[in-house]
């Protein structure tokens, strides 16, 4: 793929690319944005460095990717309802996002993209890891693909049933600066989606698992749990990964339809603060 308006530096053999050239504080010209978007579809997660942007500029750039999704469980930034401030203080022990997952998998229309902008970072630690779920799907054996072909995952927003992940209320209580809220009345926070979903833009198959998966439709939980555990472990094999070292002013944009991510919880006693915006997605098929 040839890029004329941006410089693209791929990160690993699996996924990820750093993009050089754009200034995201200014309106991004159409031709430049088209190339950024193409690079994003090709590399699944893209990174920018040294960006100096205000919350309003981040919101303007986010809207180029689609309409903004409001998180049902996390209280937004007090002045910018579109933004969640992911923050960890010196006294916090919980790290938001510190398990492999894809954003809002529990929603009927899970997030398409997530944009994370670094405001404060620890001197060491606090990286984010990403895993390519096209590669994970491709690496499964034909036999397991055949057995699980039409299976649907049950994804829950508060993980009450899955033995290997704590419920949301237990994950935050007392140890996190992140403020949890009750989801709006009537909003669906449990959904069934294809385990092997098809990416709506590339049309390629993806393994769709993560920490929100509590069961498999029409399976007994005792049958489902070992399959879920196997798939979750398989989905983060080292050859599917890249890892991003944050600096103040870095921005990452990942495609939740084909990428899982993991916030590495290795910086207790230090501060980290990020501005996150998610973009609405389609019903997975
Ligand atoms: C998340 O969106 O899951 C958090 C990622 C991070 O803070 O690195």
């Amino acid at each position: 793929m040839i890029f004329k308006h941006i410089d693209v530096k791929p990160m690993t053999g699996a996924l990820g690319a750093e993009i050089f050239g754009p200034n995201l504080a200014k309106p991004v010209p159409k031709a430049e944005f088209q190339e950024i978007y193409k690079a994003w579809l090709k590399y699944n997660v893209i990174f920018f460095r040294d960006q100096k942007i205000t919350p309003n500029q981040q919101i303007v750039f986010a809207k180029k990717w689609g309409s903004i999704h409001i998180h049902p469980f996390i209280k937004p930034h007090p002045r910018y309802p579109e933004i969640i401030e992911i923050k960890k203080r010196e006294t916090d022990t919980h790290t938001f996002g510190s398990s492999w997952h894809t954003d809002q998998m529990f929603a009927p229309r899970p997030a398409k993209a997530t944009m994370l902008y670094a405001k404060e970072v620890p001197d060491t630690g606090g990286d984010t890891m990403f895993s390519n779920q096209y590669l994970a799907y491709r690496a499964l054996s034909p036999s397991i693909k055949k057995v699980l072909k039409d299976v649907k995952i049950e994804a829950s927003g508060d993980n009450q049933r899955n033995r290997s992940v704590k419920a949301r209320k237990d994950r935050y209580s007392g140890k996190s600066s992140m403020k949890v809220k009750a989801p709006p009345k009537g909003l669906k926070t449990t959904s069934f989606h294809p385990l092997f979903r098809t990416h709506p833009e590339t049309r390629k198959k993806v393994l769709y698992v993560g920490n929100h998966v509590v069961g498999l439709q029409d399976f007994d939980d005792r049958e489902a749990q070992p399959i879920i555990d196997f798939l979750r472990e398989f989905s983060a094999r080292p050859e599917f990964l890249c890892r991003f070292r944050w600096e103040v002013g870095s921005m990452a944009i990942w495609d939740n339809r084909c990428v899982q991510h993991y916030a590495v919880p290795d910086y207790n006693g230090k501060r980290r603060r990020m501005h996150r915006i998610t973009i609405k997605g389609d019903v997975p098929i």
Side-chain angles (χ1 to χ4, degrees), residues 59 68-71 76-84:
I59 293 166
I68 291 176
H69 171 104
I70 305 296
H71 200 293
H77 190 291
R79 270 167 296 133
Y80 304 99
E82 299 90 344
I83 294 178
I84 290 179

Side-chain angles (χ1 to χ4, degrees), residues 235-256:
S235 70
R237 275 167 47 169
E239 60 270 37
F240 307 151
L241 308 184
C242 75
R243 178 173 182 139
F244 187 62
R245 170 90 203 102
W246 293 95
E247 294 163 354
V248 171
S250 303
M251 152 105 62
I253 307 171
W254 60 85
D255 185 341
N256 285 297

Side-chain angles (χ1 to χ4, degrees), residues 86 95-99 101 103 114 116 126-130 246 254 261-264 267 272 274 276:
I86 297 184
T95 303
F96 179 83
S98 54
S99 59
H101 67 287
D103 291 328
T114 302
L116 194 62
D127 297 357
T128 309
M129 298 180 69
F130 299 90
W246 293 95
W254 60 85
H261 58 284
Y262 180 104
V264 180
Y267 62 102
R272 181 175 182 269
M274 323 287 274
R276 187 180 108 158

Side-chain angles (χ1 to χ4, degrees), residues 167-234:
R168 191 172 286 271
K169 64 179 169 42
D170 300 328
R171 282 190 270 148
Y172 300 124
S173 56
K175 308 173 238 149
S176 172
S177 299
M178 305 285 301
K179 298 269 179 294
V180 184
K181 63 176 185 181
K185 240 190 152 86
L187 190 86
K188 255 186 111 207
T189 56
T190 294
S191 303
F192 292 90
H193 298 305
L195 169 66
F196 300 146
R197 72 177 284 190
T198 303
H199 191 288
E201 294 185 81
T202 65
R203 313 307 300 172
K204 289 192 291 184
K205 287 267 190 209
V206 168
L207 173 61
Y208 197 47
V209 289
N211 80 343
H212 298 118
V213 179
V214 292
L216 300 178
Q217 193 170 43
D218 300 330
F219 281 61
D220 183 276
D221 277 353
R222 286 165 305 175
E223 297 167 335
Q225 192 68 50
I227 300 174
I228 296 166
D229 289 345
F230 162 72
L231 290 172
R232 288 193 55 206
E233 194 185 329
F234 184 86

